[in-house]
């Protein structure tokens, strides 16, 4: 008898934790009202067999005594479209899933149409996911404007991205790293229409599976993908008035069945802008009061075509070709009085009418293979090739006139040709192994970058153009990065762990070629090479994952490598008195950061982050040859930053609100001798707020705005505050197939910037503005089949159907 009692007690002891597990969630309709009496079926993920079912009450459902394992839900109700959730894992304790929206069923449906509502913002252990589709893009034109509205993201005067106040941000688009210079990246982001963006992921503390490059963090842009079976597509057209006119159009055509997915997209943009720039700088006893009026125009063509082949129920082979073709012209009218400061006498006025033309062709070829077995193990392999060709021509006429009678004193006229050819090859493989509550990830990546750049300057005398071999050069740059990583993650009722390390070996080589005369071929003038090996650990620990109140502590170490332009030691002429010069001594910058994030009620997200960046990149204005000055990038020693970010999304019936507050303290230090010191301390505050309203079922409206307090740019410039507001409204017809959007950006025309600095005997004050207030109109039409056919109920069939229907309910945990 005693033996039997002991057996019973031991059985109760070991089964009690299992019996205590529970699962709950909520169902609502398109008006935000709770859906009662819906059948909620709990299915095993591995074979789709039912475990238990209940009816929802007041929109709520609750399962108790759920054993550990992987599951998904199937929800059905008369009058509503049935749908599946994503697969989720039950460990121990109570788990709450995010709210799931059920779409009303039309009488003439021939197949299943799934409509789910994802969370506007979802904070996970390693990243923050913001849903863009259908919300933030209504008053945005392109990806850069959308990023300006992201929590913790700021954009400086040169459109450089900062994350939590830190530069060195790496951008990914559909899992592919964008390898471009800062100027090229800005152009690329402006070429991506906001309507093509599905979501944006912000990774302040990326794990080991990501490239270590990007000390400021990672921004991952995910574009929309075809999800419907059969033939379907869309047509879009729009216009913006500034008062200069911009217009755009796009077309997509897709076909999908169980074995193949064919997709194609084409978009066109005609851009036109008008910017104003003012720069007052003083070197010694001479001051320059520069004023520039810049008008730009150009066309961008984006092309994408590809196919996904379903080789089996577990494996997919994909091929994608993407093209980004652009041409642009710019006219820069400038006037710079040159003043002798002690007497205030204007010595001369430099007038310039610079004209430039650029053509850029980029082609990306991608091949990928994915395999996933029934146990959740996966293998992903990818090969990419990028061909980027840039052709830039520029005329720089400089006229010096008498300030009194405006008579011509002398001229300095130049012409520049700067072609660049860039080739990037990438190979990578990632493997994930599920072992109960543990997951192991292993992988490797090799990338090869080849850039060939030519800088040809010509002296122009009326119609004659003479090659200036003294101020021309060629620069060849080669970079290889080889990486491998290992990462472990573990989840249970109370804790979620993720730890990993990434090893990267970098080898770079640079050859500078110069000309000895105007007819000879360039000869090697100098060469440098460098290689280094680094380890980049990362760690995150989450307490009470999936609960209403969870804490995450994270740490990571990251790197930024210099780009080829900043390594080229040759002088690049901007105008007669301003030059840009690179340095082969520029070293990588390294950053270590630690953050603490708290999420309450699946909505309120608070993050406290501290980071230290050593050998930080900064652009410094220095003097050369008396009154001439040059800009160059250098390592400005150290940056320390302490930041706090708070975001809160609210959905109350048809009204939605998203608020993000970010503040940080930054310290910049450089001691490079007398007159060459930087000591800047600044506390910066930024606020973003967006209001949304859905009314009369087919109307939506949006009002958003941001404010950034004074800050520090590029490690040496003190920038003033900046703010702006946007508004937009959208109307839909024919069950959402037809939509019309009207919006106004920068309502009060306040998007203006100011900056000042003092270094190496040169003081400067600058300000600028652009034609940022735009009235936009956008029309869209979706055609073809928008229904999703149900999958056969084979082993794992529910998971296959869920993937095809994309019933992503944004599950907790």
């Amino acid at each position: 008898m005693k033996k039997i009692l002991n057996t019973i007690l031991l059985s109760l002891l070991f089964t009690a934790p299992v019996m205590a597990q529970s699962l709950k969630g909520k169902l609502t309709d398109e008006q935000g009202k709770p859906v009662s009496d819906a059948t909620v079926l709990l299915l095993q993920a591995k074979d789709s067999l039912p475990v238990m079912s209940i009816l929802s009450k007041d929109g709520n459902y609750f399962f108790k005594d759920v054993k550990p394992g992987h599951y998904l839900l199937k929800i059905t109700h008369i009058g509503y479209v049935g749908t599946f959730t994503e697969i989720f894992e039950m460990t121990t304790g109570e788990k709450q899933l995010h709210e799931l929206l059920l779409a009303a069923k039309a009488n003439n449906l021939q197949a299943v149409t799934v409509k789910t509502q994802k969370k506007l913002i979802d904070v996970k252990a390693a990243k923050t996911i913001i849903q863009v589709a259908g919300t933030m893009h209504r008053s945005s034109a392109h990806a850069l404007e959308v990023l300006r509205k992201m929590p913790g993201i700021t954009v400086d005067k040169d459109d450089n991205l900062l994350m939590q106040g830190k530069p060195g941000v790496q951008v990914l688009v559909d899992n592919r790293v964008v390898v471009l210079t800062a100027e090229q990246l800005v152009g690329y982001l402006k070429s991506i229409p906001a309507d093509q963006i599905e979501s944006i992921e912000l990774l302040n503390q990326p794990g080991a599976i990501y490239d270590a490059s990007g000390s400021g963090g990672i921004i991952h842009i995910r574009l929309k993908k075809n999800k419907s079976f059969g033939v379907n597509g869309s047509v879009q057209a729009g216009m913006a008035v500034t008062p200069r006119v911009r217009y755009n159009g796009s077309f997509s055509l897709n076909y999908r069945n169980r074995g193949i997915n064919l997709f194609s997209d084409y978009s066109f943009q005609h851009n036109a802008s008008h910017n104003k720039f003012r720069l007052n700088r003083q070197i010694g006893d001479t001051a320059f009061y520069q004023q520039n009026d810049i008008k730009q125009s150009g066309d961008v063509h984006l092309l994408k075509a590809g196919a996904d082949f379903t080789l089996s129920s577990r494996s997919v082979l994909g091929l994608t070709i993407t093209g980004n073709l652009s041409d642009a012209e710019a006219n820069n009218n400038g006037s710079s009085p040159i003043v002798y400061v002690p007497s205030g006498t204007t010595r001369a006025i430099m007038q310039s009418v610079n004209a430039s033309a650029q053509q850029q062709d980029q082609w990306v070829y991608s091949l990928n293979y994915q395999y996933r077995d029934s146990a959740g193990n996966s293998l992903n392999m990818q090969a990419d090739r990028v061909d980027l060709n840039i052709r830039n021509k520029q005329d720089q006429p400089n006229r010096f006139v008498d300030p009194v009678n405006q008579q011509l004193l002398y001229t300095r006229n130049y012409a520049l040709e700067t072609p660049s050819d860039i080739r990037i090859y990438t190979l990578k493989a990632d493997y994930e192994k599920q072992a109960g509550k543990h997951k192991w990830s292993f992988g490797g990546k090799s990338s090869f970058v080849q850039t060939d750049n030519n800088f040809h300057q010509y002296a122009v005398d009326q119609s004659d153009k003479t090659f200036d071999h003294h101020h021309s050069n060629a620069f060849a740059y080669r970079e290889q990065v080889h990486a491998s990583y290992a990462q472990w993650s573990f989840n249970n009722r109370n804790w979620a762990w993720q730890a990993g390390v990434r090893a990267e070996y970098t080898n770079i080589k640079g050859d500078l070629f110069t000309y000895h005369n105007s007819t000879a071929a360039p000869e090697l003038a100098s060469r440098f090479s460098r290689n280094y090996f680094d380890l980049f650990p990362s760690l995150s620990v989450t307490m009470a994952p999936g609960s209403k109140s969870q804490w995450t502590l994270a740490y990571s170490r990251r790197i930024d490598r210099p780009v080829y332009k900043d390594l080229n030691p040759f002088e690049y002429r901007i105008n007669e008195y301003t030059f840009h010069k690179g340095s082969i001594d520029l070293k990588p910058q390294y950053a270590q950061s630690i953050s603490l994030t708290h999420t309450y009620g699946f909505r309120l997200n608070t993050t406290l982050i501290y980071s230290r960046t050593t050998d930080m990149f900064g652009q410094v204005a220095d003097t050369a040859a008396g009154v001439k000055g040059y800009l160059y990038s250098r390592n400005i020693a150290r940056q320390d930053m302490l930041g706090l970010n708070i975001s809160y999304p609210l959905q109350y019936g048809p009204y939605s609100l998203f608020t993000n507050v970010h503040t940080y303290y930054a310290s910049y230090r450089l001691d490079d001798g007398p007159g060459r010191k930087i000591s800047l301390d600044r506390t910066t505050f930024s606020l973003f707020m967006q209001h949304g309203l859905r009314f009369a079922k087919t109307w939506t409206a949006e009002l958003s705005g941001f404010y950034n307090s004074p800050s520090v740019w590029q490690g040496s410039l003190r920038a003033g505050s900046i703010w702006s507001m946007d508004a937009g409204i959208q109307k839909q017809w024919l069950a959402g197939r037809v939509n019309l959007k009207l919006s106004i950006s920068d309502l009060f025309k306040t998007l203006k910037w100011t900056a000042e600095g003092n270094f190496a005997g040169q003081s400067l004050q600058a300000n600028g503005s652009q034609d940022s207030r735009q009235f936009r109109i956008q029309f869209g039409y979706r055609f073809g089949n928008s229904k999703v056919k149900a999958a056969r109920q084979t082993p794992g069939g529910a998971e296959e159907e869920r993937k095809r229907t994309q019933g992503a309910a944004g599950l907790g945990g």
Side-chain angles (χ1 to χ4, degrees):
M1 185 67 177
K2 183 178 181 181
K3 185 176 181 180
I4 296 175
L5 289 174
N6 288 337
T7 302
I8 295 174
L9 289 173
L10 287 173
S11 176
L12 290 173
L13 177 64
F14 284 103
T15 58
V18 175
M19 299 297 287
Q21 293 175 141
S22 61
L23 172 70
K24 65 180 181 178
K26 187 174 183 179
L27 309 175
T28 60
D29 61 16
E30 294 172 297
Q31 283 72 46
K33 298 179 180 179
V35 178
S36 297
D37 299 322
T39 300
V40 184
L41 185 62
L42 181 67
L43 305 176
Q44 292 186 110
K46 62 181 180 179
D47 52 18
S48 305
L49 293 178
V51 179
M52 63 182 79
S53 65
I54 58 173
L55 294 177
S56 63
K57 183 177 181 181
D58 296 327
N60 299 306
Y61 59 87
F62 180 81
F63 292 98
K64 63 179 181 178
D65 301 338
V66 182
K67 296 181 179 180
H70 290 82
Y71 301 92
L72 69 159
L73 296 180
K74 180 178 181 180
I75 298 97
T76 59
H77 191 289
I78 297 176
Y80 293 92
V81 175
T83 187
F84 290 84
T85 66
E86 290 181 331
I87 289 178
F88 56 89
E89 182 182 8
M90 290 294 298
T91 52
T92 56
E94 181 180 275
K95 185 180 188 69
Q96 175 158 355
L97 305 185
H98 297 152
E99 184 178 297
L100 179 66
L101 182 146
L102 299 182
K105 185 184 295 183
N107 294 329
N108 61 348
L109 283 182
Q110 301 299 318
V112 177
T113 301
V114 175
K115 185 174 183 180
T116 60
Q117 177 174 309
K118 299 180 181 180
K119 291 180 66 179
L120 175 63
I121 181 169
D122 189 13
V123 177
K124 297 182 180 295
K127 59 187 174 184
T128 300
I129 305 172
I130 298 97
Q131 300 299 328
V132 176
T135 54
M136 294 184 178
H137 72 292
R138 275 195 290 272
S139 57
S140 301
H142 47 68
L144 188 63
E145 287 193 2
V146 175
L147 290 176
R148 194 188 292 273
K149 302 178 180 181
M150 294 295 102
I153 301 297
T154 55
V155 182
D156 70 10
K157 68 176 181 66
D158 296 319
D159 290 333
N160 296 312
L161 297 170
L162 291 88
M163 196 169 183
Q164 305 286 0
K166 298 184 296 180
V169 178
Q170 184 187 83
V171 176
L172 279 69
V173 177
D174 285 340
N175 288 317
R176 292 174 178 86
V177 177
V178 179
V179 185
L180 296 172
T181 65
E183 298 86 351
Q184 294 164 355
L185 176 61
V186 170
Y188 177 66
L189 292 175
K190 288 183 177 180
S191 72
I192 301 176
D195 278 327
Q196 292 187 9
I197 301 175
E198 179 72 27
S199 64
I200 292 178
E201 299 174 359
L202 306 177
L203 295 91
N204 292 310
Q205 305 281 24
I209 64 175
Y210 295 95
D211 289 1
S213 178
S215 62
I218 292 177
I219 298 175
H220 189 182
I221 301 173
R222 294 190 180 273
L223 304 179
K224 293 180 180 178
K225 296 181 179 179
N226 174 42
K227 304 170 185 177
S228 302
F229 277 61
V231 178
N232 58 82
S234 65
V235 178
Q236 301 242 7
M239 178 183 293
V241 179
T242 61
R244 303 192 77 188
V245 177
R246 313 176 187 187
Y247 48 88
N248 64 83
S250 65
F251 174 78
S252 68
L253 182 64
N254 313 288
Y255 172 75
R256 180 174 182 148
N257 61 27
R258 294 182 187 275
I260 190 171
N261 176 33
L262 302 176
F263 51 91
S264 62
D265 297 281
Y266 168 75
S267 65
F268 167 80
Q269 294 184 58
H270 173 74
N271 299 313
S273 63
H274 184 189
N275 303 334
K276 294 184 178 181
F277 173 72
R278 303 289 183 269
L279 173 62
N280 299 334
R281 61 189 181 93
Q282 181 176 337
I283 304 174
D285 59 6
T286 303
F288 301 83
Y289 299 101
Q290 179 180 339
Q291 301 182 34
N292 292 83
D293 192 82
I294 308 167
K295 293 182 179 180
Q296 297 172 302
S297 63
D299 298 326
V300 180
H301 303 265
L302 285 178
L303 308 95
K304 183 178 182 180
D308 294 324
F309 303 95
T310 302
L311 305 180
S312 68
S313 61
R314 303 298 179 190
S315 59
V316 176
L317 179 67
L319 172 66
T320 305
I321 301 176
T322 305
N324 187 334
L325 314 177
S326 65
D327 60 82
E329 295 181 350
N331 290 285
N332 185 344
N333 296 328
S335 175
S336 299
I338 304 171
V339 178
Y340 179 62
V341 175
S343 64
T345 304
T346 301
R347 293 173 172 174
I349 298 176
M350 183 178 70
Q351 298 175 344
S352 60
V353 185
N354 295 348
S356 63
Q358 177 177 285
Q359 180 179 341
Q360 178 174 304
D361 297 340
Q362 176 180 287
W363 292 96
V364 181
Y365 309 91
S366 299
L367 179 67
N368 62 84
Y369 172 78
Q370 302 177 24
Y371 174 82
R372 180 179 295 272
D373 63 21
S374 58
N377 305 316
S378 66
L379 173 66
N380 293 280
M381 295 185 292
Q382 183 173 308
D384 297 328
R385 170 176 171 165
V386 179
D387 295 338
L388 176 60
N389 302 310
I390 303 172
R391 299 295 179 264
N392 194 358
K393 294 183 178 181
Q394 186 173 354
D395 292 323
Q396 286 192 356
N398 297 295
R399 303 174 69 252
F400 293 83
V401 300
D402 186 278
V404 179
N405 53 29
Q406 299 296 307
Q407 288 185 350
L408 179 64
L409 301 176
Y410 57 94
T411 62
R412 294 285 189 273
N413 300 331
Y414 309 95
L416 306 175
E417 294 181 1
T418 55
S420 297
D421 296 310
I422 302 173
R423 301 291 180 267
I424 304 171
Y425 305 89
T426 304
L427 295 170
K428 63 176 296 189
D430 303 281
Y431 176 72
E432 287 188 355
K433 172 66 176 178
Q434 291 286 158
K437 299 177 183 179
H438 302 264
K439 181 170 73 173
W440 294 91
S441 302
F442 306 94
K445 179 181 179 180
S446 291
S447 64
F448 307 83
V449 180
Q450 303 175 4
T451 69
D452 294 292
N453 312 277
N454 289 279
F455 183 86
H456 295 162
Q457 180 169 304
Y458 299 85
V460 179
D461 184 9
Q462 296 181 352
S463 60
D464 295 330
K465 189 168 71 171
T466 304
F467 181 67
D468 184 355
H469 65 275
H470 296 290
H471 296 93
S472 300
N473 81 323
F475 186 65
Y477 177 75
R478 304 292 184 264
E479 178 184 278
Q480 295 184 29
V481 179
H482 305 282
S484 62
Y485 72 87
Q487 182 171 281
W488 164 80
S489 59
F490 170 79
N491 291 273
N492 64 13
R493 174 183 177 183
N494 298 315
W495 299 95
W497 293 80
Q498 179 177 290
V501 63
R502 187 179 185 93
E504 292 192 351
Y505 170 77
T506 305
N507 178 270
I508 62 174
K509 296 179 181 180
D511 293 335
L512 176 65
F513 298 86
T514 57
Y515 296 84
H516 289 286
N517 57 62
S518 59
T519 58
E523 297 181 4
L524 181 65
S526 63
R527 169 176 289 172
F528 73 92
S529 64
R530 190 178 302 151
N531 59 77
Y532 42 92
F533 174 82
D534 292 292
L535 293 176
F536 301 95
S538 60
L539 172 69
S540 70
V541 182
T542 301
M543 185 176 65
S547 66
K548 287 186 177 180
S549 178
Q550 66 179 37
W551 295 85
T552 299
L553 181 67
Y555 164 83
S556 67
R557 180 177 188 259
R558 301 187 61 75
I559 186 176
D560 282 310
R561 299 176 179 88
V563 297
Y564 66 88
K565 180 180 178 181
D566 293 332
L567 290 169
N568 188 346
F570 203 77
E571 289 186 359
Y572 169 79
R573 183 189 301 271
I574 299 175
N575 59 40
E576 182 67 8
Y577 289 94
T578 309
F579 300 82
H580 180 277
K581 186 177 181 179
S583 171
I584 62 174
D585 296 324
L586 189 64
K587 298 180 293 184
Q589 68 177 17
Y590 295 89
Q592 298 187 76
S593 60
I594 185 169
S595 63
L596 180 64
T597 299
H598 179 245
T599 303
Y600 180 77
F602 306 106
R603 294 181 181 273
L604 179 61
N605 304 289
T606 305
T607 299
L608 180 67
I609 185 169
Y610 169 76
S611 69
R612 167 167 286 191
T613 303
T614 56
D615 292 325
M616 179 184 173
F617 298 151
Q619 190 174 85
V620 179
D622 206 344
T623 57
V627 298
K628 293 186 178 181
Y630 63 89
L631 302 173
Y632 67 99
S633 295
R634 63 160 299 168
N635 302 107
I636 60 170
R638 190 188 77 216
Q639 178 205 54
D640 290 288
M641 181 173 292
L642 178 65
L644 176 67
N645 194 86
I646 303 173
S647 63
Y648 182 75
L650 172 67
Q651 184 76 44
Y652 186 76
Y655 172 73
S656 64
L657 168 68
F658 176 66
T659 303
N660 187 85
V661 179
H662 176 64
T663 184
Y664 66 90
Y665 166 79
S667 173
Y668 304 84
R669 294 291 183 269
L670 171 66
D671 189 349
D672 201 22
R676 304 173 62 85
K677 297 181 180 181
I678 294 176
S679 179
L680 293 176
D681 298 273
R682 183 62 59 94
T683 299
T684 300
F685 168 83
S686 64
L687 169 68
F688 173 77
M689 185 173 291
Q690 176 178 291
H691 304 267
L693 180 65
R694 179 182 294 272
F695 55 97
K697 294 185 178 180
T698 58
W699 287 88
T700 51
E702 179 182 288
L703 177 66
S704 63
F706 76 91
Y707 168 80
N708 294 333
S709 71
S711 60
V712 175
W713 289 344
Q714 300 173 347
S716 61
L717 297 176
R718 299 180 297 275
S721 61
I722 188 171
W723 68 280
S724 178
M725 291 186 66
D726 301 340
I729 190 169
Q730 176 180 262
K731 166 65 176 175
Q732 294 184 336
W733 295 272
L734 301 179
R737 287 182 175 268
V738 178
N739 65 78
L740 180 67
K741 303 173 186 176
L742 303 175
S743 64
I744 301 177
S745 63
D746 196 14
L747 276 169
F748 303 103
K749 209 171 183 178
T750 55
L751 204 56
K752 303 175 182 179
W753 60 269
T754 60
E756 60 182 25
N758 194 324
F759 183 77
Q762 177 176 235
S763 63
L764 60 87
Q765 299 84 36
N767 64 80
S769 64
Q770 54 186 319
D771 50 357
S772 52
R773 183 165 62 186
Q774 304 173 20
F775 173 77
R776 300 169 180 154
I777 180 170
Q778 190 81 17
F779 172 82
Y781 171 65
R782 293 186 294 110
F783 60 87
N785 183 32
S786 61
K787 311 297 189 298
V788 180
K789 298 180 181 178
R792 294 171 295 173
Q793 292 301 311
T794 56
E799 163 61 358
E800 294 176 18
E801 180 179 354
R802 182 200 64 78
K803 288 182 177 179
R804 291 189 179 103
T805 59
Q806 295 294 309
L811 303 178

